Amino acid sequence: MASDDINWMAWFVVAEQMTRGEKDAAKMVAAGIRLERRRWLEQQYYRPPATSGVPDDV
């Protein structure tokens, strides 16, 4: 059984694709994989800008 977050992501991808008129299940799965891959890469490689530790209002 898939976890709740996977089920929500699957429903999100399917709903998004179906509202665009997509009927091919393989394309829906590919869209979900692309979305998750992009999200994972952003989490792995995004580095927030370094702060000096000095408040902005000083």
Side-chain angles (χ1 to χ4, degrees):
M1 184 73 173
S3 64
D4 286 342
D5 61 329
I6 292 173
N7 286 332
W8 278 107
M9 176 65 83
W11 276 109
F12 169 76
V13 170
V14 168
E16 183 179 46
Q17 295 297 312
M18 289 183 81
T19 58
R20 294 180 184 167
E22 185 59 60
K23 294 180 181 159
D24 185 354
K27 288 183 181 179
M28 290 185 208
V29 170
I33 291 170
R34 280 192 303 274
L35 181 66
E36 187 59 27
R37 184 179 291 166
R38 183 177 62 227
R39 189 174 74 151
W40 185 85
L41 287 171
E42 287 172 356
Q43 289 175 352
Q44 295 298 314
Y45 295 107
Y46 173 71
R47 300 286 184 249
T51 59
S52 64
V54 178
D56 292 335
D57 61 348
V58 173

